[in-house]
Amino acid sequence: MVALAAAGLVAGLAAAGWWLLPWALPLPADLGQPHRASLQWLDRDGRPLRLPLTDEVRRGLPVGPDSIPERVRLTTLIAEDRRFDHHGGIDLRATARAGRDAIRHGRVTSGASTISQQLVKLASPPAQRTPATKLREMLQARRLEMTRNKPDILAAYLNRLPYGNLMEGIDAASHGYFNKPPADLSWAEAALLAGLPQAPTRLNPWRDPQPAQARQRHILHQLHRHGWIDRATLDRALAEPLDLEPRRAGFAAPHAVDWLEQQHRAGAVGSGSLRTTIDRELQTRVEELVARTLAPLADRHVGQAAVVVIDNHHRQVLALAGSIDYHAAEGQLNGAWLSHPAGSALKPFTYALALERGLSPATIVPDLPVRFVTAEGVYQPENYHRRHHGPVTHAFALANSLNIPAVRVLDQIGGPDPLLTLLQQLGLGSLTEPAEHYGLGLTLGNGPVRLIELTNAYATLANLGRHQPWTLLAEAHPPEPDLHPADGASAAADRERATRPLHADTAYTIAAILSDPLARSPAFGTRSHLDLPFRAAVKTGTSTDYRDNWALGFTRDHTVGVWVGNFDRQPMRGVSGVTGAAPLLQAVFLALAERRPPAWLPRPESVVDLVIDPRTGRRIDPQGPLRPLMTMRLTCPSRSLPPPADAGDYDAQGRAWVDAAYSDWIAGAENWLGQTVRPGPPPVAGNADAAAADQPPPSSPRPQVLEPAEGAVLLLDPDLPGGGRRLLLRHSGDAQAAARWHSDTLAIRPPSPNRPAEAELVPGRHQIQLLDDQGQLLDRAWLEVRDR
């Protein structure tokens, strides 16, 4: 009876110790806290873009109890706790074995800690390893087993397990060592990771892979020995080569990640593992193209470049290269975010505004010398090559990036205010000054803009006028537009204006102009870096003294923006947007085409194709009786068709009547239309004598300086050859009259039979004199030359 009682007492004490005593100790507080992943940036496919570069521990995404991959589960159990599913937190058999071995060898030769015990240890504050500590952990492991199920315990363990190299948790280790999520690990990869927690420093595979591989092979053999994998699986796993991710591989898209981390520190984005929009393969390709394409320009003082690629449908940034080499001097500066003068890259938005105001791409604008009186003086824009093209359509002026027509059009539609408003609606946040600060030069890009914002503005054109903010976060949702209080249809109209600042037919018409190689051939030739083997809209720009090059373009699916220059604002040597940024734009578009066949924009129903006479801008009926000497095709919104041509637009020889203001241009050397135009106005109908008359104009009075205008302020345009420093000189009267030009401060090139005299411009205040053949002063003009 005594023995029976003693046995009962022992059994009761054992039961109390097994079932009741664990409740006397609380579980570690950390087990009650939600798992917090370290801040990490992932590409659009969930792969890390950057691993920690400091001593901060990196925690991956938590693995849930229902999402533990089978290979990870089995390799971890065979390595750490084979009987995990069959014990209650303390493996009595393993404990007895460990005790026996310790007595036999006089030291500890094998462990008996279960996964539950190890989890308690991982979740507890560091403590000295004493028998009391061990006993406490065992009791806490029992309580853990009585309060949580096995999958919960294993998931919590895997999320806290240290795998070395500052990686905590199976998700961090899987991405860090193999650049893949745990679910994609092979048996060999899972076995290698399962062995690391035993001794993370000694088994560091980046330092010496052999000890880690020996542990890996042991785990694989144990899996086969216990029947958890078959022989074929074992052989494949043993034969699989170790393919570790390079230690520095977690440093992709550095400028994008830097920008996101700045937003994180400012509280603009959340924490944890955040999926970005970056396409890692495209990012790598773009960075390679930047370095390769710009290398031949190094001797022309081209030091930096930036590229942005945007998915037009969701405005996600697929690639962002902020410099040529992030690790070089100044390489950490982000050229996609720094603001620079945009040059001619802003002109499309001026012509878009003109279309919104009811003008047409066939509208004629004079490309003739013009002066605008401003608060700072007389503003006189000049063109590429310092030439003038007479009467030109809006489409011709935009396609060939003419400056004078762009300024005239902006002045006609209300000046810089509406253009500044539109650009700000399109997200160009660096244009913070009032409109009068920029003046009419805003259309020529005298305001600083950011590449990423300007690229997104072009993406709005590609998206047929519908605007949406760009984003680097895959989960981001664009904010709702700010609306004034309104109800019903009024609210809908406000929302539409906020999200679609341009009509679809306006955006498509601008895109059609920018995608027409023939339309731009007078200025850029028939073969240039703007040409692609598929249809794409492209535009370039260059700022003062070749300090900045721009090239932007879009297809239906992608918009690409390129900036080329120097971060210290030093000028390049004669490198324009066509020769600097455009080759890189072309290379990126060709790389995109390899990944996905390019497509053109969907055509709105509200656009039509027209035939016009480019001398008058009037519509020609191909089936009608008129057969003008010159025609061209245009795409135009149906709401703003040009007027039809009639016989009164031409004289008896078929010459088009143009405004009398073109008289001097028609008689001069710049007339590229030849005898196809005649200064008007047209004669009164029925006056045959007037129609046939071709009397020379009356003799001119004393010649006067026409160009430059008195008091002109000339801004040097870097898009022009030779730095944009040539000014054509003109005077009234006979162009061949015996008169010559003189200046004490500017070099003058005498006229030739096909070209007027030219002055070589330099910054400063100058006087230009017109002298007769005896050297007597006929007229003079003061002008000021400034850098733009």
Side-chain angles (χ1 to χ4, degrees):
M1 292 294 294
V2 174
L4 185 60
L9 178 61
V10 171
L13 291 174
W18 186 258
W19 297 106
L20 299 179
L21 188 57
W23 293 98
L25 294 175
L27 291 174
D30 185 66
L31 287 176
Q33 301 298 319
H35 177 86
R36 293 185 178 179
S38 300
L39 176 65
Q40 61 175 326
W41 305 103
L42 311 176
D43 70 6
R44 64 191 302 107
D45 296 320
R47 297 171 297 178
L49 292 172
R50 179 178 295 184
L51 297 179
L53 302 179
T54 66
D55 57 359
E56 178 184 353
V57 173
R58 175 175 172 239
R59 300 178 179 88
L61 293 172
V63 174
D66 298 328
S67 59
I68 301 172
E70 186 67 4
R71 292 170 183 174
V72 171
R73 188 180 78 86
L74 293 180
T75 52
T76 301
L77 295 185
I78 207 72
E80 299 293 341
D81 188 358
R82 182 169 56 85
R83 285 185 290 275
F84 172 73
D85 291 327
H86 306 289
H87 62 65
I90 301 173
D91 189 343
L92 297 178
R93 187 190 308 179
T95 301
R97 185 204 69 234
R100 181 199 64 197
D101 292 345
I103 293 172
R104 179 181 300 173
H105 297 93
R107 58 185 177 85
V108 176
T109 59
S110 62
S113 293
T114 65
I115 282 178
S116 301
Q117 290 173 258
Q118 293 181 54
L119 175 58
V120 167
K121 177 182 176 182
L122 291 170
S124 301
Q128 186 177 0
R129 305 308 296 167
T130 65
T133 301
K134 185 73 172 177
L135 177 61
R136 187 188 73 244
E137 291 173 354
M138 293 173 67
L139 293 175
Q140 288 176 312
R142 277 293 302 135
R143 178 167 179 174
L144 180 65
E145 290 273 350
M146 290 187 287
T147 55
R148 296 192 183 183
N149 60 39
K150 291 288 187 177
D152 286 341
I153 294 172
L154 182 58
Y157 175 70
L158 287 170
N159 290 329
R160 289 172 171 81
L161 203 55
Y163 289 86
N165 290 295
L166 301 173
M167 287 181 275
E168 181 178 295
I170 184 62
D171 182 75
S174 179
H175 282 102
Y177 289 115
F178 295 109
N179 194 23
K180 62 177 65 172
D184 293 344
L185 293 171
S186 66
W187 279 108
E189 293 165 342
L192 184 112
L193 294 184
L196 298 182
Q198 184 188 64
T201 301
R202 180 174 62 83
L203 298 176
N204 183 351
W206 277 333
R207 186 174 60 188
D208 182 4
Q210 293 185 1
Q213 288 181 292
R215 173 81 172 145
Q216 173 198 45
R217 289 191 292 270
H218 171 74
I219 290 173
L220 290 170
H221 281 293
Q222 287 296 307
L223 287 169
H224 178 255
R225 175 187 170 192
H226 290 283
W228 291 8
I229 60 172
D230 58 26
R231 183 70 201 187
T233 301
L234 173 64
D235 290 342
R236 284 195 300 271
L238 291 173
E240 182 178 316
L242 180 61
D243 186 18
L244 289 173
E245 187 76 359
R247 190 164 193 169
R248 287 199 60 178
F251 202 77
H255 294 97
V257 173
D258 282 354
W259 188 89
L260 285 167
E261 289 191 340
Q262 292 173 4
Q263 300 302 301
H264 170 72
R265 288 192 290 271
V269 298
S271 299
S273 293
L274 299 178
R275 191 183 300 262
T276 73
T277 60
I278 294 295
D279 182 317
R280 188 162 181 163
E281 284 71 30
L282 178 62
Q283 175 73 30
T284 300
R285 183 71 184 279
V286 166
E287 291 173 356
E288 292 171 351
L289 290 173
V290 170
R292 187 176 72 202
T293 308
L294 272 297
L297 297 176
D299 61 347
R300 300 177 70 178
H301 200 57
V302 176
Q304 290 295 343
V307 176
V308 173
V309 180
I310 290 180
D311 164 31
N312 294 335
H313 305 292
H314 304 98
R315 301 302 174 90
Q316 294 182 342
V317 179
L318 302 179
L320 189 157
S323 67
I324 291 180
D325 182 359
Y326 182 86
H327 301 286
E330 293 188 329
Q332 291 79 37
L333 295 175
N334 187 350
W337 186 247
L338 295 175
S339 55
H340 310 274
S344 296
L346 295 186
K347 286 176 183 172
F349 303 103
T350 295
Y351 290 97
L353 272 178
L355 292 172
E356 292 289 295
R357 302 293 175 90
L359 300 178
S360 115
T363 300
I364 295 294
V365 55
D367 183 18
L368 297 174
V370 64
R371 301 185 300 273
F372 298 93
V373 178
T374 70
E376 295 184 349
V378 177
Y379 172 45
Q380 183 170 346
E382 273 294 351
N383 277 336
Y384 192 84
H385 293 309
R386 301 284 180 190
R387 298 173 185 165
H388 303 88
H389 299 76
V392 295
T393 63
H394 282 200
F396 181 95
L398 173 58
N400 293 278
S401 198
L402 302 180
N403 290 344
I404 292 175
V407 176
R408 283 182 179 269
V409 171
L410 183 60
D411 182 62
Q412 180 183 2
I413 62 176
D417 292 270
L419 178 58
L420 179 60
T421 298
L422 174 61
L423 295 175
Q424 291 172 340
Q425 286 178 324
L426 295 174
L428 273 61
S430 56
L431 296 174
T432 57
E433 301 292 339
E436 55 267 23
H437 172 81
Y438 307 109
L440 294 173
L442 181 60
T443 188
L444 304 184
N446 64 3
V449 302
R450 300 183 180 104
L451 174 64
I452 194 167
E453 293 177 343
L454 184 57
T455 305
N456 192 51
Y458 272 73
T460 295
L461 294 174
N463 211 21
L464 296 181
R466 185 172 294 280
H467 183 65
Q468 185 177 338
W470 59 271
T471 181
L472 271 165
L473 289 177
E475 309 301 326
H477 298 284
E480 291 294 324
D482 293 331
L483 302 177
H484 297 294
D487 297 313
S490 177
D494 285 342
R495 185 179 300 276
E496 177 70 7
R497 283 192 294 271
T499 59
R500 190 188 286 279
L502 298 172
H503 286 91
D505 52 15
T506 291
Y508 188 88
T509 300
I510 295 297
I513 296 169
L514 297 179
S515 64
D516 187 349
L518 185 61
R520 63 173 172 262
S521 61
F524 299 100
T526 55
R527 296 180 121 184
S528 75
H529 291 293
L530 299 178
D531 296 330
L532 290 160
F534 47 84
R535 192 173 184 185
V538 291
K539 186 72 185 75
T540 61
T542 309
S543 68
T544 302
D545 285 338
Y546 301 101
R547 285 186 170 88
D548 306 281
N549 286 175
W550 301 79
L552 298 107
F554 56 85
T555 58
R556 181 193 66 186
D557 301 316
H558 299 109
T559 298
V560 179
V562 176
W563 168 85
V564 171
N566 294 293
F567 289 146
D568 60 6
R569 303 295 297 138
Q570 291 297 310
M572 297 169 284
R573 296 194 187 102
V575 179
S576 69
V578 177
T579 58
L584 183 51
L585 179 85
Q586 184 186 60
V588 173
F589 264 122
L590 292 175
L592 287 169
E594 294 174 1
R595 296 159 51 93
R596 180 178 182 178
W600 183 237
L601 281 56
R603 181 185 177 95
E605 294 181 358
S606 56
V607 298
V608 295
D609 292 328
L610 301 176
V611 177
I612 68 160
D613 186 328
R615 299 165 297 175
T616 65
R618 291 180 174 261
R619 189 168 80 250
I620 302 298
D621 181 0
Q623 307 302 321
L626 286 178
R627 293 292 183 268
L629 298 175
M630 300 179 66
T631 60
M632 67 178 294
R633 293 185 176 274
L634 282 181
T635 298
C636 180
S638 58
R639 56 186 165 82
S640 55
L641 298 178
D646 59 42
D649 295 327
Y650 307 95
D651 69 6
Q653 286 76 43
R655 293 177 293 185
W657 290 105
V658 295
D659 193 277
Y662 296 104
S663 297
D664 288 340
W665 178 84
I666 291 173
E670 293 181 324
N671 179 4
W672 62 282
L673 295 174
Q675 297 301 312
T676 68
V677 289
R678 181 178 180 181
V684 177
N687 189 342
D689 292 337
D694 193 10
Q695 299 299 323
S699 58
S700 303
R702 174 173 171 156
Q704 294 181 325
V705 176
L706 296 178
E707 190 173 350
E710 175 65 23
V713 177
L714 302 184
L715 303 182
L716 295 178
D717 186 342
D719 276 330
L720 310 179
R725 299 179 181 274
R726 292 198 299 271
L727 174 65
L728 299 181
L729 305 177
R730 293 177 176 81
H731 61 79
S732 62
D734 187 354
Q736 305 300 324
R740 61 185 180 88
W741 297 92
H742 171 76
S743 175
D744 292 331
T745 55
L746 295 176
I748 305 291
R749 293 183 181 181
S752 65
N754 296 318
R755 189 169 182 82
E758 294 177 345
E760 290 288 331
L761 298 179
V762 295
R765 183 170 169 79
H766 311 282
Q767 185 188 80
I768 293 181
Q769 298 176 340
L770 182 64
L771 308 177
D772 64 15
D773 56 356
Q774 303 298 317
Q776 298 299 309
L777 180 67
L778 295 173
D779 196 12
R780 62 186 173 188
W782 284 95
L783 71 153
E784 183 178 353
V785 180
R786 301 177 185 173
D787 284 326
R788 190 171 73 188

